[in-house]
Amino acid sequence: MRTPPRWRSVLAPAAMAAALAAAALASTGSAYADDHATPYPAHPAPAHGPQPAYPAKPGQPVHPAKPAYPAKPERPVHPEKPVKPEYPAHPEKPAYPAKPVKPEYPAKPAKPEHPAKPEYPAKPAKPDYPAKPAYPAKPAKPDYPAKPAYPAKPAKPEYPSKPAYPAKPAKPELPSKPAYPSKPSKPAYPAKPAKPEYPSKPAYPAKPAKPELPSKPAYPSKPSKPAYPAKPAKPEQPSKPAYPSKPAKPEQPSKPAYPSKPSKPAYPSKPDRPSKPAYPSKPAKPEHHAKHGKGEHGGKGGHEGHDE
């Protein structure tokens, strides 16, 4: 592929500028190679006047003065950057043709006025309901008869005495236990002093004999419960009076017919728009060198994009 002579003049200064920039970077890198060990200079201290020395304290040794620090090396002068070459001016774009003026739409016809709605007739007045009849007075409740007096309870009879319980049989004697072997004799404790004799307690007086309770008398038979008097029959309730029939609903007047709507006028047809002018053809784009593309299997380093 050959480059046209117009673009060859543009590519030459660009290649020269790239070579100059690479040479400047290489020279600055070698200049700063020996200066990496030196730290960046700190900010200069503010300029103060000479401070008077403090008087030595009595009884303390005088320290020697500190040695002066060596002067810091001067920083190398940064090389000037190469002047960037001016690129050629882009060609001016062709002026687009003026757009045609949009035609005005025709004025729409005025809408016809709708006729006024007719007034509805007044509704008839609702008749009053008749008054409800009064309920008849209920009959008075009859008085219940007085309850009869209960008869007097008879005196409690004397209960007969309980019979004596029979005597329990004598408990049989248990067989005698066999004689256990004799335990070895315990050594005799020393004789304790004799306890003084306590005075004898007086004999408690004999309790009086409990009197025998009288035998319970036999209970008399309970009197039969008197029958309740028959309840008077309930008077019949008067039947409810029949409700008067509701008055007939008056017929509503029929609605008046609406007048027919006027027909809609037809819209005028739209005018034909002028056809758009053809746009000028764009200038042909110059061909660029193909970039390094990917290989056949998608990896980098393929040579399919190189020009031969």
Side-chain angles (χ1 to χ4, degrees), residues 168-244:
K168 288 182 179 181
K171 210 171 185 181
E173 290 184 1
L174 295 173
S176 59
K177 287 183 179 181
Y180 284 100
S182 60
K183 286 183 179 181
S185 60
K186 208 172 182 181
Y189 282 100
K192 289 182 179 179
K195 270 187 178 181
E197 291 184 0
Y198 286 100
S200 60
K201 286 184 178 179
Y204 283 102
K207 288 183 179 180
K210 209 171 185 179
E212 293 183 1
L213 295 174
S215 59
K216 284 183 178 180
Y219 282 104
S221 59
K222 287 184 178 180
S224 59
K225 201 172 183 182
Y228 283 103
K231 289 182 179 179
K234 277 187 178 179
E236 291 183 1
Q237 298 287 340
S239 60
K240 285 184 178 179
Y243 281 101

Side-chain angles (χ1 to χ4, degrees), residues 53-307:
Y54 285 100
K57 291 184 179 179
Q60 287 189 356
V62 179
H63 293 284
K66 286 184 179 180
Y69 284 100
K72 289 182 180 178
E74 293 183 358
R75 294 179 64 187
V77 181
H78 197 278
E80 293 182 359
K81 290 183 180 179
V83 181
K84 197 173 183 182
E86 292 183 0
Y87 287 99
H90 287 279
E92 292 184 0
K93 288 184 180 179
Y96 284 99
K99 288 184 179 180
V101 181
K102 197 174 183 180
E104 292 183 0
Y105 285 101
K108 291 182 181 179
K111 283 185 179 179
E113 292 183 1
H114 288 279
K117 287 184 180 180
E119 292 183 359
Y120 284 100
K123 288 185 179 180
K126 200 173 183 181
D128 294 332
Y129 284 100
K132 289 183 181 180
Y135 282 99
K138 290 183 180 180
K141 210 171 186 181
D143 294 331
Y144 285 100
K147 287 183 179 180
Y150 282 101
K153 289 183 179 180
K156 278 186 179 181
E158 292 183 359
Y159 288 100
S161 59
K162 284 184 179 180
Y165 284 102
K168 288 182 179 181
K171 210 171 185 181
E173 290 184 1
L174 295 173
S176 59
K177 287 183 179 181
Y180 284 100
S182 60
K183 286 183 179 181
S185 60
K186 208 172 182 181
Y189 282 100
K192 289 182 179 179
K195 270 187 178 181
E197 291 184 0
Y198 286 100
S200 60
K201 286 184 178 179
Y204 283 102
K207 288 183 179 180
K210 209 171 185 179
E212 293 183 1
L213 295 174
S215 59
K216 284 183 178 180
Y219 282 104
S221 59
K222 287 184 178 180
S224 59
K225 201 172 183 182
Y228 283 103
K231 289 182 179 179
K234 277 187 178 179
E236 291 183 1
Q237 298 287 340
S239 60
K240 285 184 178 179
Y243 281 101
S245 60
K246 289 183 179 180
K249 202 173 183 181
E251 291 183 0
Q252 299 286 341
S254 59
K255 287 183 178 179
Y258 281 102
S260 59
K261 287 184 178 180
S263 59
K264 201 173 184 182
Y267 283 101
S269 58
K270 290 182 179 179
D272 294 331
R273 292 190 179 184
S275 59
K276 288 184 177 180
Y279 283 102
S281 59
K282 290 184 178 180
K285 200 171 184 181
E287 292 183 0
H288 292 281
H289 288 287
K291 292 182 180 178
H292 293 284
K294 291 184 179 179
E296 184 182 357
H297 300 289
K300 289 185 179 180
H303 299 283
E304 289 81 0
H306 282 289
D307 296 331

